Amino acid sequence: MSDPTDDQDEEVVEVGPKVSAKEGKDLDKVTGGDDDQEGKQVDVSKLSKAMEQMQVVSSSEAEAKAARQRALAAVKVKPEDVEAIVREFEITSEQADLALRENDGNLVTALRALIAA
């Protein structure tokens, strides 16, 4: 008996893309070419402007958050309203207090907001 592998010709298959010189040039035109230099040069002035803008946005967000905290702290909240919300919704007193403060201390609107959430 003969070995079945002896009768079959082995076929060599190359794995991976073959790129001709023309295809390589076309690819360079599309991708911008020179991959080795990509990302190595940075416009420092643009980078510093972007960083400044990020800092301005960050500081303005922090100021807005602080102003909101001050506004919420100024709202008068009745302890019995906090307890009513804690009993009905089984949430912490801090969460109930925040819900009331966000709704100007109004129990009815706070309850509606919690139901809608």
Side-chain angles (χ1 to χ4, degrees):
M1 274 187 95
S2 66
D3 189 12
T5 58
D6 291 340
D7 295 338
Q8 297 176 353
D9 292 331
E10 289 186 25
E11 185 176 315
V12 176
V13 178
E14 290 187 29
V15 179
K18 281 188 173 180
V19 179
S20 70
K22 182 181 182 310
E23 290 171 334
K25 288 179 184 178
D26 291 342
L27 183 61
D28 284 345
K29 287 179 186 175
V30 172
T31 61
D34 200 11
D35 291 334
D36 295 337
Q37 296 298 320
E38 186 175 321
K40 289 187 179 180
Q41 295 180 348
V42 176
D43 187 354
V44 177
S45 64
K46 286 183 180 179
L47 180 61
S48 63
K49 285 180 184 178
M51 293 295 291
E52 287 175 18
Q53 288 176 345
M54 288 174 48
Q55 288 174 344
V56 167
V57 168
S58 177
S59 64
S60 65
E61 287 175 352
E63 289 173 11
K65 185 176 180 180
R68 176 168 162 67
Q69 291 297 329
R70 285 191 299 274
L72 289 176
V75 175
K76 303 289 184 203
V77 174
K78 296 178 186 174
E80 56 270 14
D81 290 346
V82 172
E83 285 303 315
I85 292 175
V86 168
R87 254 192 336 270
E88 292 301 317
F89 287 93
E90 298 180 1
I91 59 176
T92 65
S93 59
E94 291 83 13
Q95 291 170 322
D97 184 73
L98 179 60
L100 282 164
R101 289 181 188 280
E102 288 175 339
N103 291 285
D104 297 321
N106 188 321
L107 179 61
V108 175
T109 56
L111 290 170
R112 287 183 179 157
L114 287 168
I115 289 170

